[in-house]
Amino acid sequence: MKNRILIWLSAFALLVLVGVQYIFITQTYHTKQEQFDSKFGTLVRQGMIAFNEYDVHFGLDSVLFLLDNLALDYLYAAPDTTSSPPAVEFHKILRNFREPEIFLREYIRRAGEEPAFTYYLQINELYLTDIGSEQQVYSDSLLLPIAPEGALLAGSYEQVRNFFRISYDIYISFNNRSKMILNEMWLILSLAILTLLFVFVIFFLTLRNMLVQTRLSEMKTDFINNMTHELKTPLSTISVASSALGDRTIIQQEEKVEELSGLIKRQNKHLSELIDRILDIHIWERDEVRIKITDNQTEKWMRQLVNGFKLEQGNKAPSIDLEFNLESKTHRFDEVHMSTVMNNLLSNAVKYGHPPVRINVVLDETAEHLVVTVSDNGPGISREEQKHIFEKFYRGRESKKRVIKGLGLGLYYVRQIIEAHQGTISLHSSHGKGSAFTIKIPK
Ligand code: ADP
């Protein structure tokens, strides 16, 4: 609960941090944009003023003369270009007058700046006029191409001639505006991104660590509970049996005494096995699994093992199908440890399966490996659990729900033994569809 609150608080703090960084970066970007617009706005306005002084109006005058004739045509004759409205023609002619644009490029280059820009001429109003009459043929509510947002106003002009009156603006849009601004901000940007990445990585590592620790501590608590339970059961049986042995009437019945002492012996053996298992953990943890590899008659060994297992299970014995696809008679492995492996796999199939339990054991051989597959018709293991079942102390959800005895060590031992043989163990299973464990041991 405390952990969960901490996680939510940290996630919230992270979100706030991202928000603050975002606001900081966008504000810096806007400030830089304003600085850019003010610097380059002044530059292009000065450029256009310089152009007007330089041009002495010859170039522009001849264009305006041409437009005057065109206006006259629109007023009184049927001009050749009747297909386009007057404003379109005016725009085309004025826009094709390229001197101001060329002048500006040079002006900006001389100022030591990058002259990559697009030049826009935007008509605001156009009137065809004659003495005493005026006819508006365009206003900016009708749309000719207009300058994009962020373009800088270089100058506003009004020209009055005999047959027309026009007002237009010249805009300059720097193609690399955003790139130039971002270039100036690269240090701030990369620091902000790096800080965020760093904080995110630390957050996720801490979170993962915390979850692993929580899971480990839960597993350890479960283990201690299970162990206590497992140790207590034989102890109480021994206690009851030994008190019974002290009873005079029972001492006189030889059969009863034998039965009770047998019971005590068995429980004692079970206890010492349990204690051995628990003590083993330390040895196994230090990677001290010592195996003694010998030649074994595999088929014979497996048949004996399965028969022994069935006998031990008594009336709970499952049906076990054996299949041998072996080329050689003998294989090299540690017989004692491999018997533990097989017993663990078989007893898990019985423990977790629902009767009638059916088990298939198949032995195959490849050029390099002895392959043993143990499959069952049990409840199967979900994908999520498959990631953990070979871990020490791990117990599946089903085993806890159905209160199935165990310490979560069986498959951990199995993996240790197989790895000590330089082999591998894998599992194919899905929830509700049985499990198949495949062991591969190098020959
Ligand atoms: P334990 O049996 O003591 O819980 P194991 O290491 O042998 O420990 O198994 C770990 C978990 O894997 C079990 O708790 C169980 O959830 C799951 N498991 C193992 N074998 C099977 C099987 N054949 N079918 C279904 N679940 C299994």
Side-chain angles (χ1 to χ4, degrees), residues 348 351-352 376 381 389 394-396 399 406-411 435:
N348 273 353
K351 253 187 353 185
Y352 298 107
D376 62 51
I381 300 166
I389 54 163
Y394 182 83
R395 304 213 66 216
S399 57
L407 296 175
L409 291 172
L411 290 178
S435 317

Side-chain angles (χ1 to χ4, degrees), residues 226 277 344-353 376 378-381 385 388-391 393-400 402 404-414 429 434-435 437:
N226 290 335
R277 276 204 147 195
N344 271 323
L345 295 181
L346 294 174
S347 63
N348 273 353
V350 175
K351 253 187 353 185
Y352 298 107
D376 62 51
I381 300 166
E385 295 200 334
H388 305 293
I389 54 163
F390 295 106
E391 287 170 13
F393 305 138
Y394 182 83
R395 304 213 66 216
R397 220 172 297 136
E398 274 287 296
S399 57
K400 290 184 203 162
R402 285 164 53 199
I404 299 173
K405 273 192 191 177
L407 296 175
L409 291 172
L411 290 178
Y412 168 70
Y413 285 138
V414 166
S429 175
S435 317
F437 290 88

Side-chain angles (χ1 to χ4, degrees), residues 83-177:
S83 49
S84 354
V88 174
E89 285 304 311
F90 271 64
H91 184 266
K92 208 192 298 173
I93 293 170
L94 272 173
R95 180 65 189 82
N96 282 345
F97 174 55
R98 302 191 69 87
E99 268 77 0
E101 185 183 344
I102 294 165
F103 183 90
L104 260 186
R105 280 196 201 284
E106 185 56 21
Y107 188 84
I108 290 172
R109 202 178 55 74
R110 284 204 184 152
E113 299 294 347
E114 171 71 38
F117 64 73
T118 312
Y119 176 93
Y120 290 93
L121 187 136
Q122 185 175 308
I123 296 180
N124 298 324
E125 284 179 325
L126 174 63
Y127 293 86
L128 296 182
T129 57
D130 200 358
I131 307 158
S133 75
E134 195 170 59
Q135 176 194 348
Q136 188 173 37
V137 288
Y138 182 78
S139 74
D140 58 7
S141 55
L142 303 167
L143 279 188
L144 271 178
I146 56 163
E149 212 192 324
L152 303 170
L153 181 65
S156 296
Y157 301 91
E158 173 140 33
Q159 307 288 355
V160 182
R161 293 280 147 157
N162 290 338
F163 299 106
F164 73 91
R165 177 157 70 83
I166 190 167
S167 81
Y168 63 89
D169 295 330
I170 286 175
Y171 282 96
I172 299 298
S173 162
F174 284 88
N175 309 342
N176 296 335
R177 180 170 174 249

Side-chain angles (χ1 to χ4, degrees), residues 312-328:
E312 257 175 45
Q313 298 293 315
N315 51 7
K316 274 200 303 177
S319 96
I320 303 181
D321 277 347
L322 275 172
E323 187 183 325
F324 296 93
N325 306 315
L326 300 174
E327 278 171 18
S328 28

Side-chain angles (χ1 to χ4, degrees), residues 37 46 49 64 68 169 180 204 207 223 248 264 267 280 308 324 345 349 379 388 392 411 418:
D37 289 353
Q46 283 170 349
I49 292 170
L64 294 175
D68 218 15
D169 295 330
M180 281 155 88
F204 281 112
L207 190 67
F223 171 73
R248 270 172 195 279
I264 292 175
Q267 292 300 336
D280 274 354
F324 296 93
L345 295 181
H388 305 293
K392 192 171 33 173
L411 290 178
I418 301 300

